[in-house]
Amino acid sequence: MNTILNYSIGRKISLSLMGLFLCLFLIIHLIGNLKLFNNDLGLSFNQYSDFMSNNVFIKISSWILYFAILYHTIIGGYITYNNYKSRPIKYLIQKKNNISISSRNMGIAGSIIFIFIVVHMANFWWKFKFGNIPYIQYVRDIQSGYLASYEDVLPVLMNKNGHLIQNISNNYEIIYTYKNSYRVVSETFKNPFLVIFYGASMIAMSLHLLHGFKSAFMTLGLKINNLYGHIIHLIGWLFFGLLIPIGFASIPIYFYIVNFFTK
Amino acid sequence: MNINLKVWRQKNMNVVGSFVNYKLSNVNPNMSFLEMFDMLNEKLISQKEDPIAFDHDCREGICGACSMFINGYPHGNKHGVTTCQLHMREFTDNQTIVVEPWRAKAFPVIKDLIVDRSSLDRIISSGGFVSLNTGSARDANEILISKEDAEESLSAASCIGCGACVAACKNASAMLFVGAKIYQFSKLPQGKIEEKKRIKSMLKQMDKENFGHCTNTGACSAECPKEISLDVISSLNKDFIKSSF
Ligand code: HEM
Ligand code: SF4
Ligand code: FES
């Protein structure tokens, strides 16, 4: 392993593997976050958030994820610096012949993403972990399916882990009590600057992945000028360049608009 | 036609160079870019000035010597040609043409537009030998090679080692050159024997010469006068992974 990293190609291979792992994470993270759009007073998102913060498997995965982010950032930073140094005297004029903006700015887009990750962790991860989050209680009428919620309740109807479902029903109602992560998200995105920052960061991510996804496969040996190459190019463009960044960016924008009109 | 030139002048490796402006009139549009430089140099010599040093040899697009970075492109803005095959008719009357040497840490400037590209030679020699039986002529059909493999190998072998790929790359990476030089062998049965060793030692030398990492942007292939495909880089990556296990 150590010897592979002594080669420039080896370093790129490790970078691409971590990058693809991060791409996989993005898909899972987005699918989870889309629960914010469910029309259920935040119940499914709070359940998801509760699951994420208590599952052992998720905990281990998240440490792997932190490692991947740091590794990718450090090696990416090293490679960018090393590449910059490979041409000590720049050209007076250098035209970019058909070379995409995306591929030229991997380091810059990556740095923006890294700043974003730090801000994002401070906004949510830190608050969910250490903040004082209000509890919310859901009541469902079993027969009509009607859901109601009471905010700012005390966490009384919970088991000793502090998070579970209590069935105090007399066959008509089930009560759930959760930390109200949904409200933390909703309130965070009342700040217009943060919404703009999130949107801009997703543009940077789109740029990074428009080239990055396909490039990672090329680093791993995929020829780009054949059918498989074109398919990977298309997936990278459509999903990682377009749909996934739009999916993420739509969350802050949605909450900002909803909060704006329900003031 | 009349042209304005802005050319990099540098006395030797140890001093800092700078751009100098020249005006040249009565340039024949059918001259090659190098012939235009000959004309300029004659003028400089007759004025008792130091002529501009530039690399050239075959002047027919096969040796790769004529390195010039012209108006932002290696070998100028014409697809698939070397500087000696670029003609003045590609430019307009009174145009300003900026001419720079290849820029890379691995290509130090020797004088004016001449750079030291021996780093590429050292990569080649680090590749070592290829096992071939010598002696009397062998039967041509003794080792069968498919048409496709032969074609692919030969098209990679058309690399003339000019270094335009390094010059064009934002990272000054030599991966297209090294990829082509490895691909021409790895497509053929004769090249398989020393393959692992060759890949490792050529890549080690490449890194030692301070070429950058590859970002897969494709600038190299777009500027290569021999239109070497970007796929030789993917192929090199794959062969590197295979040779590591
Ligand atoms: C959501 C997070 C991220 C994902 C999914 C991601 C994904 C990728 C992928 C797939 C590649 C292509 C690897 C290759 O070319 O072989 C890549 C390259 C790169 N990434 Fe990231 N990345 C992320 C975050 C970052 C961050 C935070 C940085 C930090 C500065 C960064 C810096 C780079 C750099 C410098 C490159 C290499 C460019 C080159 O080849 O020269 N990335 N990334
Ligand atoms: S790959 Fe193309 S640009 Fe690079 S050295 Fe060979 S011929 Fe020149
Ligand atoms: S002088 Fe030989 S390729 Fe131009």
Side-chain angles (χ1 to χ4, degrees):
Chain A
M1 192 62 197
N2 184 31
T3 58
I4 290 183
L5 294 182
N6 286 338
Y7 291 89
S8 59
I9 295 191
R11 287 188 287 272
K12 277 290 323 251
I13 288 169
S14 70
L15 184 82
S16 68
L17 289 173
M18 294 298 167
L20 288 180
F21 176 75
L22 294 179
C23 287
L24 184 68
F25 159 74
L26 286 183
I27 300 173
I28 297 167
H29 192 45
L30 181 60
I31 291 175
N33 285 359
L34 288 181
K35 293 198 193 321
L36 284 163
F37 291 131
N38 287 357
N39 193 7
D40 59 0
L41 305 166
L43 174 60
S44 52
F45 181 74
N46 285 335
Q47 271 171 340
Y48 162 72
S49 168
D50 179 74
F51 169 77
M52 294 302 263
S53 43
N54 292 294
N55 186 295
V56 181
F57 176 73
I58 301 289
K59 279 223 164 100
I60 296 168
S61 314
S62 63
W63 284 107
I64 299 173
L65 177 68
Y66 305 147
F67 170 79
I69 292 171
L70 286 180
Y71 183 92
H72 187 86
T73 304
I74 291 167
I75 294 281
Y78 169 79
I79 287 178
T80 306
Y81 171 70
N82 181 285
N83 288 345
Y84 185 78
K85 271 200 330 186
S86 300
R87 175 164 294 132
I89 303 173
K90 309 292 168 203
Y91 291 106
L92 182 67
I93 307 177
Q94 184 175 20
K95 294 275 168 54
K96 320 290 193 296
N97 194 358
N98 296 326
I99 308 309
S100 65
I101 299 174
S102 158
S103 68
R104 265 184 276 137
N105 297 300
M106 294 298 280
I108 293 171
S111 308
I112 296 173
I113 301 172
F114 187 72
I115 295 169
F116 168 78
I117 293 173
V118 173
V119 173
H120 182 57
M121 299 268 286
N123 282 340
F124 296 111
W125 181 83
W126 186 264
K127 265 191 223 162
F128 287 167
K129 220 168 177 123
F130 304 110
N132 234 341
I133 298 180
Y135 285 84
I136 184 167
Q137 207 167 76
Y138 294 95
V139 181
R140 192 200 297 276
D141 183 321
I142 289 176
Q143 270 172 350
S144 67
Y146 180 79
L147 193 71
S149 68
Y150 306 101
E151 296 205 15
D152 297 321
V153 296
L154 292 171
V156 281
L157 290 169
M158 304 188 77
N159 67 15
K160 67 177 186 320
N161 290 334
H163 73 285
L164 255 182
I165 303 163
Q166 286 277 333
N167 187 347
I168 59 149
S169 73
N170 41 21
N171 290 335
Y172 294 108
E173 289 174 332
I174 297 174
I175 297 184
Y176 309 86
T177 308
Y178 287 110
K179 281 188 175 181
N180 198 354
S181 307
Y182 181 87
R183 192 162 113 194
V184 175
V185 175
S186 170
E187 299 209 331
T188 303
F189 293 134
K190 279 183 177 154
N191 180 349
F193 296 108
L194 212 54
V195 175
I196 292 170
F197 175 70
Y198 270 62
S201 303
M202 288 309 106
I203 292 174
M205 195 176 82
S206 160
L207 269 182
H208 195 72
L209 296 181
L210 266 176
H211 178 70
F213 186 74
K214 141 186 109 169
S215 173
F217 281 88
M218 293 166 79
T219 303
L220 296 174
L222 180 83
K223 294 185 178 182
I224 206 67
N225 292 320
N226 62 22
L227 181 65
Y228 297 115
H230 294 313
I231 291 173
I232 290 296
H233 190 150
L234 187 72
I235 293 176
W237 186 87
L238 186 63
F239 288 94
F240 291 93
L242 208 61
L243 295 180
I244 292 179
I246 288 177
F248 279 118
S250 64
I251 295 168
I253 295 171
Y254 166 81
F255 279 103
Y256 185 75
I257 293 172
V258 167
N259 283 325
F260 191 82
F261 286 109
T262 53
K263 232 182 249 173
Chain B
M1 61 196 282
N2 301 325
I3 51 166
N4 304 305
L5 284 159
K6 195 177 173 117
V7 183
W8 182 260
R9 302 299 313 259
Q10 181 172 336
K11 278 213 158 54
N12 57 50
M13 276 183 151
N14 308 316
V15 299
V16 188
S18 63
F19 283 97
V20 178
N21 293 316
Y22 300 97
K23 267 190 186 328
L24 202 56
S25 41
N26 292 326
V27 174
N28 185 328
N30 295 326
M31 278 178 171
S32 77
F33 203 79
L34 296 189
E35 283 165 336
M36 181 274 289
F37 258 76
D38 293 335
M39 185 177 161
L40 174 63
N41 274 346
E42 277 168 22
K43 189 176 149 196
L44 290 179
I45 291 167
S46 70
Q47 293 167 354
K48 305 246 177 309
E49 283 177 48
D50 190 23
I52 300 166
F54 63 93
D55 245 342
H56 62 107
D57 186 21
C58 70
R59 298 211 177 194
E60 55 184 7
I62 57 172
C63 75
C66 51
S67 54
M68 284 189 192
F69 205 82
I70 304 161
N71 277 350
Y73 302 94
H75 300 303
N77 184 18
K78 189 174 186 218
H79 196 67
V81 295
T82 51
T83 306
C84 57
Q85 300 296 296
L86 182 71
H87 292 88
M88 295 314 294
R89 52 180 173 266
E90 305 293 334
F91 299 89
T92 52
D93 203 18
N94 290 318
Q95 190 179 348
T96 300
I97 306 173
V98 179
V99 187
E100 305 175 62
W102 283 178
R103 297 275 188 214
K105 194 170 182 185
F107 291 167
V109 174
I110 297 173
K111 187 174 194 297
D112 298 338
L113 300 174
I114 300 185
V115 294
D116 179 0
R117 279 171 286 183
S118 56
S119 45
L120 296 184
D121 302 337
R122 285 189 292 274
I123 295 176
I124 294 288
S125 54
S126 73
F129 58 83
V130 177
S131 290
L132 286 177
N133 290 323
T134 54
S136 58
R138 308 188 65 84
D139 177 13
N141 294 323
E142 189 179 22
I143 302 173
L144 295 176
I145 299 167
S146 77
K147 173 81 176 145
E148 289 79 16
D149 286 346
E151 289 289 338
E152 284 199 49
S153 171
L154 281 178
S155 72
S158 70
C159 163
I160 52 179
C162 62
C165 43
V166 178
C169 173
K170 75 180 175 67
N171 311 328
S173 165
M175 284 284 281
L176 192 71
F177 168 79
V178 178
K181 294 303 175 197
I182 287 177
Y183 197 73
Q184 65 185 16
F185 292 130
S186 52
K187 271 280 145 185
L188 302 179
Q190 293 94 329
K192 292 281 179 220
I193 304 159
E194 289 87 11
E195 187 171 34
K196 283 189 176 186
K197 199 173 126 239
R198 175 167 53 244
I199 289 174
K200 287 285 161 85
S201 54
M202 285 176 79
L203 287 176
K204 198 165 264 171
Q205 190 64 32
M206 177 183 91
D207 290 343
K208 215 160 139 195
E209 301 287 351
N210 292 313
F211 291 104
H213 295 63
C214 172
T215 304
N216 299 314
T217 67
C220 50
S221 181
E223 294 297 349
C224 171
K226 298 298 156 187
E227 302 172 317
I228 301 286
S229 161
L230 198 55
D231 285 344
V232 300
I233 295 181
S234 301
S235 183
L236 174 56
N237 290 331
K238 193 167 105 200
D239 290 344
F240 173 82
I241 295 172
K242 277 201 284 185
S243 70
S244 301
F245 296 102

